[in-house]
Amino acid sequence: MSGFIIAGLAALYVLLFLFFIIGLLKTHRYKGEKATPSVTVVVPMRNEEEFAARTLEALAVQDYTGEWEVICVNDRSTDSTQEILEKFAANHPRFRVLNLSQDLPAIASPKKRALESAFKIAKYDVLLTMDADCTPRKSWITAMAGRFVDGISIVQGPKQNYGTRTMPHLYQKLETLGYTAMEAAGFSLGHPMVASAACLAYKKELFFQVGGFGDLINLSSGDDDMLIHKMMKVPGTKVCYNLDPDAVIETAPVHTWKQLFNQRSRWSSNGTSYENKAYILLLTLIYTFYIWMFVSPWCVAFLDCPWQWCAYPILAKFAVDFIFLSIAAAKLHAKRQMFAFLPTELIQIPMIVFAVPAGITGMFRWK
């Protein structure tokens, strides 16, 4: 019986990634005429003095020909972020600074509060979000706004990690490629499973139609995929994935394994909070599969379990992951990242096994 359960978990993982592979193969670069809706870019910032100036300069040189503005939300920073933002905005009319009060109560998701505060004062029709440690290309707004054609109301763009050749950075580059490819697959099939607010755009009308973040404000993350899941409940909502090279946004990696574990724990914190119970079940079964891959070598070594129960599931994961990531690397022009495939695969298993319970129990911190 145990062998059938293990085989079932492995088969579920393979089928899930076959779904992603099909979606990824359907992802193509849009070559039609681009739209020029009015756009409000929103950048939440908390203690971002390291990145703020670079991010602002990259936004200031955007070549978008439509109407656009940038709202930088200073979310109770205690460093020089506010001074950097206000000095920059004083010389750039498109930029506005929204300073949130230091007296605001502590909540699980200050980032969502910062975003929604900016959305309420946004002038324009499309809301385009990015993170403070991201660097957009010169035509980023043009590329993202241009996909709002044929009734599309949500556009997800790709992101890449820059960094050095240290193992934590190489790990993040390849893992980010994987998450980006999963986003592309889900959006291309019209069933987004994951999303990233670092490069995400949607109609302002749609955001307020679903009540904004609503109850999601009480969760530590979910400003991206959970929000998109809410929006997909609105009849007629159309989505797309943007493969335009100009839509790629580059994001800063964390530098240590401790920081990486903290980040992955935070990302995992809402795994049991999705409204769709079938989705929670899927995540639970996939997590169970990861637990088995982690403990199975010890079971073979010390409990006399059949070696096939360990080897075949791990080989199945490695094989389907390699195919999926190879296609993603070709689609997103990131073939060099595949050199880190084997160590990344080996590190990812214990990373997920321990990060998920740490996230669910709140063993992580925001800035």
Side-chain angles (χ1 to χ4, degrees), residues 63-94:
D63 62 7
Y64 188 52
T65 59
E67 293 183 300
W68 62 283
E69 65 170 347
V70 178
I71 301 177
C72 299
V73 187
N74 171 37
D75 186 9
R76 301 161 298 129
S77 296
T78 56
D79 62 2
S80 63
T81 298
Q82 180 175 345
E83 290 78 7
I84 295 171
L85 295 179
E86 292 180 346
K87 182 178 179 180
F88 192 89
N91 297 304
H92 295 81
R94 293 187 189 274

Side-chain angles (χ1 to χ4, degrees), residues 319-356:
V320 74
D321 284 359
F322 184 81
I323 295 169
F324 174 67
L325 288 170
S326 296
I327 296 171
K331 289 270 188 182
L332 295 164
H333 310 289
K335 293 181 180 179
R336 289 186 178 181
Q337 295 179 19
M338 290 300 294
F339 287 113
F341 174 76
L342 185 57
T344 297
E345 286 283 294
L346 293 172
I347 295 168
Q348 187 197 43
I349 293 173
M351 178 70 74
I352 289 178
V353 166
F354 291 106
V356 169

Side-chain angles (χ1 to χ4, degrees), residues 298-321:
W298 307 102
C299 292
V300 171
F302 299 108
L303 298 179
D304 200 30
C305 287
W307 65 267
Q308 296 93 333
W309 290 11
C310 169
Y312 290 165
I314 292 176
L315 287 175
K317 170 186 161 46
F318 280 30
V320 74
D321 284 359

Side-chain angles (χ1 to χ4, degrees), residues 229-251:
H229 292 179
K230 283 182 65 175
M231 291 177 170
M232 291 303 296
K233 294 179 180 179
V234 177
T237 299
K238 293 178 64 177
V239 304
C240 79
Y241 194 83
N242 194 346
L243 263 190
D244 190 324
D246 287 326
V248 176
I249 201 160
E250 296 184 349
T251 183

Side-chain angles (χ1 to χ4, degrees), residues 4-285:
F4 285 111
I5 294 174
I6 296 166
L9 292 173
L12 177 65
Y13 186 89
V14 170
L15 288 173
L16 176 62
F17 273 81
L18 287 177
F19 168 84
F20 287 141
I21 289 169
I22 292 170
L24 192 55
L25 290 172
K26 291 187 65 175
T27 306
H28 299 288
R29 182 178 174 183
Y30 175 72
K31 296 181 180 180
E33 188 173 343
K34 293 184 177 180
T36 53
S38 58
V39 178
T40 294
V41 181
V42 178
V43 190
M45 295 189 178
R46 176 170 171 80
N47 295 338
E48 297 289 357
E49 62 182 6
E50 177 183 357
F51 301 105
R54 184 182 63 192
T55 300
L56 294 170
E57 292 290 350
L59 286 170
V61 297
Q62 292 292 304
D63 62 7
Y64 188 52
T65 59
E67 293 183 300
W68 62 283
E69 65 170 347
V70 178
I71 301 177
C72 299
V73 187
N74 171 37
D75 186 9
R76 301 161 298 129
S77 296
T78 56
D79 62 2
S80 63
T81 298
Q82 180 175 345
E83 290 78 7
I84 295 171
L85 295 179
E86 292 180 346
K87 182 178 179 180
F88 192 89
N91 297 304
H92 295 81
R94 293 187 189 274
F95 287 69
R96 290 192 281 164
V97 179
L98 175 61
N99 290 306
L100 300 187
S101 172
Q102 295 284 354
D103 297 330
L104 286 172
I107 58 174
S109 182
K111 181 182 177 182
K112 286 197 282 287
R113 178 172 59 191
L115 287 170
E116 190 154 347
S117 297
F119 294 167
K120 289 177 179 178
I121 64 170
K123 295 178 182 177
Y124 296 134
D125 298 331
V126 169
L127 302 171
L128 176 54
T129 66
M130 62 172 285
D131 292 338
D133 60 354
C134 291
T135 306
R137 300 178 180 184
K138 185 176 181 179
S139 296
W140 178 61
I141 298 177
T142 300
M144 291 295 289
R147 290 298 280 113
F148 282 88
V149 296
D150 301 325
I152 288 173
S153 52
I154 306 173
V155 178
Q156 175 70 68
K159 66 177 181 178
Q160 295 177 348
N161 278 106
Y162 58 82
T164 66
R165 296 185 63 80
T166 62
M167 197 57 228
H169 286 184
L170 293 174
Y171 176 90
Q172 289 170 83
K173 288 179 182 180
L174 189 56
E175 193 182 53
T176 296
L177 174 66
Y179 285 131
T180 299
M182 285 189 277
E183 292 166 7
F187 273 82
S188 297
L189 292 172
H191 298 285
M193 295 179 66
V194 290
S196 173
C199 189
L200 184 61
Y202 35 82
K203 294 286 186 69
K204 181 172 69 172
E205 179 183 16
L206 179 60
F207 176 81
F208 288 107
Q209 184 179 351
V210 299
F213 290 115
D215 291 342
L216 299 180
I217 206 76
N218 297 314
L219 302 176
S220 57
S221 60
D223 52 295
D224 34 42
D225 56 347
M226 286 185 167
L227 176 63
I228 299 307
H229 292 179
K230 283 182 65 175
M231 291 177 170
M232 291 303 296
K233 294 179 180 179
V234 177
T237 299
K238 293 178 64 177
V239 304
C240 79
Y241 194 83
N242 194 346
L243 263 190
D244 190 324
D246 287 326
V248 176
I249 201 160
E250 296 184 349
T251 183
V254 296
H255 304 300
T256 68
W257 291 114
K258 181 179 179 181
Q259 292 171 332
L260 182 61
F261 182 78
N262 180 76
Q263 187 183 68
R264 297 305 183 264
S265 298
R266 177 167 57 83
W267 289 1
S268 303
S269 60
N270 293 329
T272 59
S273 301
Y274 290 93
E275 288 188 16
N276 189 326
K277 302 305 179 185
Y279 188 58
I280 294 176
L281 176 61
L282 174 63
L283 294 177
T284 302
L285 292 173

